[in-house]
Amino acid sequence: MDILKQKLTDFAKERGIDVLGFAPKSRFEALEKEHNPFSIFPEAETVILLGKRICRGSLRGVEEGSNFEDYVLYGRNWLEDIFLTTACYDMTRLIEDNGWEAVPIFPNPTEVRPQGIPVAEGRPAPNVHPDFDYAAVACGVAEISYNGILLTPDFGSRQRFHMIITDAVIEPTPVLDKSICDLCGKCADACPLHAISKTEYKTVTICEKNMKVARIDYSLCAKCKNGAVPNRFISSGKPDRVAALCNRTCMEHLEQAGLVNNVFSNRFRQGRPWALDAEGKYVDDAEV
């Protein structure tokens, strides 16, 4: 392991960074300019993806139907805006202290598009927002599940990411060759709005890794009252479904099937979960 990579790995352990991966520029050649991190820093050589876990306990109130606000803070807003931002900033400083330029990148959704800004021919639009799903696969830390959510070997869907682009050449992390998602379809079965297709899917290929991703009707997800949270950056963007019933059911399955490494003494789901339809009425036929 080269000296800089060792320093970054040691830093991650010291600062509670739970997921860390590296990818070379060559892995992003197939990505369009508007979502390609190297559009921001063309002279860069490496993308670094760093993540912190979403504590399983932050989802407890949603699972019980008793508290939603603390997940929004600890599992999303504070985690992205404070905990991860501080770690990303400090790691950026570490890279610069070792003589390399580093660009910290916040996970703005790719749906955000600049309006009315002229763009030179052949150049990406200003305010490029890198595709974090693509980067997570390219950096060897995650795969995209049938439910359309990133899964890592340790935490399943329970993490959030920031990115750093640097001109340092760093030994890459191998792309995951083992699947975490076993295509059980429990996410589709659990959705009381039937937003996730059980039969229609697309195959997403990133760095030669093929992943089956369901056709998801996000207009229905936007009406979900089972833990989905509206996109806080753009009203038309995909909602955050980490706390939604579909993903909480996936979490339970991954743990019980031994498909993730971060496991607990007691199982996550202690009884039959609550489920609401688009109007907020309880339903009893959700297959959870």
Side-chain angles (χ1 to χ4, degrees):
M1 184 181 296
D2 62 69
I3 295 175
L4 179 57
K5 186 175 183 180
Q6 185 63 63
K7 288 182 177 180
L8 295 173
T9 302
D10 293 344
F11 175 90
K13 292 179 181 178
E14 294 169 1
R15 301 299 181 92
I17 295 170
D18 297 300
V19 185
L20 184 66
F22 307 88
K25 181 185 292 185
S26 59
R27 291 185 184 174
F28 292 81
E29 291 176 349
L31 190 57
E32 61 271 18
K33 293 180 180 180
E34 288 76 12
H35 300 149
N36 194 319
F38 293 99
S39 294
I40 297 173
F41 187 8
E43 295 77 25
E45 297 291 342
T46 303
V47 165
I48 304 170
L49 212 66
L50 58 152
K52 279 181 174 283
R53 77 182 76 180
I54 298 171
C55 296
R56 194 176 80 163
S58 69
L59 294 161
R60 174 55 53 197
V62 183
E63 175 69 9
E64 304 300 330
S66 57
N67 178 291
F68 283 51
E69 290 79 8
D70 287 319
Y71 160 71
V72 173
L73 295 175
Y74 284 98
R76 191 180 69 156
N77 294 13
W78 287 353
L79 184 54
E80 283 188 341
D81 297 351
I82 302 173
F83 311 146
L84 258 171
T85 299
T86 300
C88 185
Y89 172 71
D90 288 342
M91 181 174 279
T92 299
R93 291 176 58 213
L94 173 62
I95 296 169
E96 292 195 347
D97 286 346
N98 282 267
W100 301 100
E101 187 171 344
V103 180
I105 302 293
F106 188 87
N108 287 297
T110 57
E111 294 96 326
V112 176
R113 299 279 186 175
Q115 300 294 323
I117 302 175
V119 181
E121 185 175 353
R123 298 283 294 178
N127 294 324
V128 169
H129 297 307
D131 186 333
F132 271 69
D133 286 357
Y134 186 104
V137 178
C139 287
V141 299
E143 71 178 15
I144 304 173
S145 69
Y146 188 78
N147 194 21
I149 295 176
L150 288 174
L151 302 181
T152 66
D154 285 337
F155 307 105
S157 60
R158 291 190 297 106
Q159 63 275 305
R160 297 196 184 278
F161 295 105
H162 274 38
M163 181 189 298
I164 297 173
I165 317 164
T166 178
D167 52 2
V169 176
I170 302 175
E171 177 188 358
T173 305
V175 175
L176 290 177
D177 59 358
K178 180 182 178 181
S179 292
I180 305 162
C181 177
D182 61 358
L183 302 175
C184 70
K186 292 182 183 295
C187 54
D189 292 335
C191 177
L193 278 67
H194 307 293
I196 305 168
S197 175
K198 298 174 67 173
T199 58
E200 297 179 54
Y201 64 86
K202 62 181 178 181
T203 299
V204 177
T205 301
I206 300 174
C207 300
E208 300 184 353
K209 181 177 178 64
N210 298 317
M211 297 155 286
K212 288 185 178 180
V213 180
R215 181 188 62 77
I216 300 173
D217 186 341
Y218 287 104
S219 66
L220 291 176
C221 294
K223 300 175 184 177
C224 175
K225 301 181 185 300
N226 300 278
V229 181
N231 191 302
R232 64 189 180 122
F233 300 107
I234 179 170
S235 59
S236 60
K238 297 176 183 177
D240 178 340
R241 295 183 297 124
V242 171
L245 179 57
C246 60
N247 187 60
R248 286 184 281 115
T249 300
C250 173
M251 285 173 46
E252 171 72 5
H253 170 70
L254 293 177
E255 290 185 13
Q256 293 305 303
L259 295 169
V260 290
N261 299 325
N262 184 227
V263 295
F264 298 79
S265 297
N266 295 311
R267 64 186 298 172
F268 177 70
R269 182 155 289 166
Q270 299 294 324
R272 184 173 180 82
W274 55 277
L276 304 178
D277 63 17
E279 283 72 43
K281 298 178 182 179
Y282 282 95
V283 295
D284 296 324
D285 59 349
E287 299 178 27
V288 292

